[in-house]
């Protein structure tokens, strides 16, 4: 018997974040794939789960939750994952680092946004992604200088910033964004890639 149900799309950044958190929490769950390319997110069944028509949706503890950051916070609080520091100032700084990707960069690189802006045509869509992802990662690299990577973004255990970073790096590689000069990001990426929770949550494993 699973402990929850995740409505998910493997390449969705928001879904990827939640998969990482579920793996870190060791929560057994069933996955129901919502095919975004087939517009399954607009089906009556999925809109009944989430009127926004987004993934992920997590059913757990007798509740149905939406919005990846809210889901991750719930798992952090209820499962004691320690994804954010206790100190209020450090907590705010780490949240700001994570939000630089999840709140500022990810929305403009959402596939529906990019497709609407470029009519889904190439190479315009790829240029759109590269235009936003490259400077977004450069800014994240600069922000990382304010933290000690030992070896994760903000300390010796995976945190919210790592959970937000890894899906964005997956997208960067998909769209041919070169971040080879971001030494701090590369170090964090290597540490996360070696962690079982991040490996299990990877889109290639989730497909």
């Amino acid at each position: 018997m699973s402990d929850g149900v995740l409505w998910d799309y493997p390449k969705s950044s928001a879904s990827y974040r939640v998969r990482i958190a579920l793996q870190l929490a060791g929560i057994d769950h069933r996955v129901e794939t919502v095919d975004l390319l087939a517009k399954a997110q607009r089906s009556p069944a999925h809109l009944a789960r989430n009127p926004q028509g987004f993934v992920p949706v997590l059913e757990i503890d007798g509740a149905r939750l939406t919005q990846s950051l809210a889901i991750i916070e719930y798992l952090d609080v209820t499962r004691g994952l320690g994804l954010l520091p206790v100190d209020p100032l450090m907590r705010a700084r780490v949240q700001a680092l994570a939000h630089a990707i999840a709140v500022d960069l990810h929305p403009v690189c959402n596939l529906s946004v990019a497709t609407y802006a470029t009519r889904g045509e190439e190479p315009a869509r790829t240029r759109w992604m590269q235009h936003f992802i490259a400077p977004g990662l450069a800014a994240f690299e600069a922000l990382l200088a304010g933290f000690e990577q030992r070896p994760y973004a903000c300390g010796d255990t995976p945190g919210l910033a790592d959970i937000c970073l890894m899906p964005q790096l997956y997208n960067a590689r998909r769209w041919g964004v070169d971040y080879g000069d971001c030494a701090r990001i590369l170090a964090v990426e290597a540490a996360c890639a070696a962690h079982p929770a991040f490996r299990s949550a990877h889109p290639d494993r989730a497909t």
Side-chain angles (χ1 to χ4, degrees):
M1 177 75 80
S2 66
D3 297 327
V5 181
L6 177 67
W7 283 271
D8 164 271
Y9 183 69
K11 292 183 179 180
S12 156
S13 295
S15 295
Y16 191 172
R17 292 177 206 138
V18 171
R19 291 198 304 270
I20 295 169
L22 287 167
Q23 292 294 332
L24 287 171
I27 296 173
D28 184 31
H29 60 284
R30 187 175 88 249
V31 174
E32 296 287 346
T33 300
V34 179
D35 189 344
L36 302 187
L37 297 182
K39 308 298 182 186
Q41 71 275 23
R42 307 308 303 174
S43 69
H46 191 69
L47 289 173
R49 298 181 201 108
N50 181 0
Q52 289 182 289
F54 295 154
V55 290
V57 176
L58 179 66
E59 190 170 276
I60 193 169
D61 299 340
R64 190 170 282 174
L65 305 175
T66 62
Q67 290 291 338
S68 64
L69 293 181
I71 294 170
I72 291 167
E73 182 177 4
Y74 177 81
L75 296 176
D76 187 25
V77 171
T78 60
R79 271 63 178 183
L81 300 183
L83 300 180
L84 288 166
V86 175
D87 176 75
L89 180 58
M90 284 301 299
R91 184 183 183 90
R93 292 184 61 225
V94 173
Q95 282 180 313
L97 181 64
H99 290 184
I101 286 179
V103 176
D104 295 329
L105 178 55
H106 170 241
V108 294
C109 294
N110 183 288
L111 191 58
S112 64
V113 173
T115 299
Y116 181 81
T118 64
R119 299 181 181 178
E121 297 174 356
E122 293 292 354
R125 188 172 61 171
T126 294
R127 285 201 300 262
W128 173 278
M129 296 296 197
Q130 294 173 346
H131 174 80
F132 288 105
I133 294 175
L137 290 181
F140 190 91
E141 173 78 4
L143 290 168
L144 271 180
F147 301 88
E148 182 182 352
Q149 287 76 64
R150 55 178 203 275
Y152 301 100
C154 304
D156 55 8
T157 59
L160 183 62
D162 304 283
I163 289 174
C164 291
L165 175 63
M166 290 301 282
Q168 190 59 63
L169 295 184
Y170 175 77
N171 282 338
R173 292 185 182 278
R174 282 179 67 198
W175 297 106
V177 176
D178 181 8
Y179 55 93
D181 58 347
C182 296
R184 296 183 184 89
I185 285 178
L186 289 172
V188 172
E189 181 182 31
C192 291
H195 193 292
F198 287 83
R199 289 202 303 269
S200 296
H202 192 278
D204 291 348
R205 293 284 296 273
T207 302

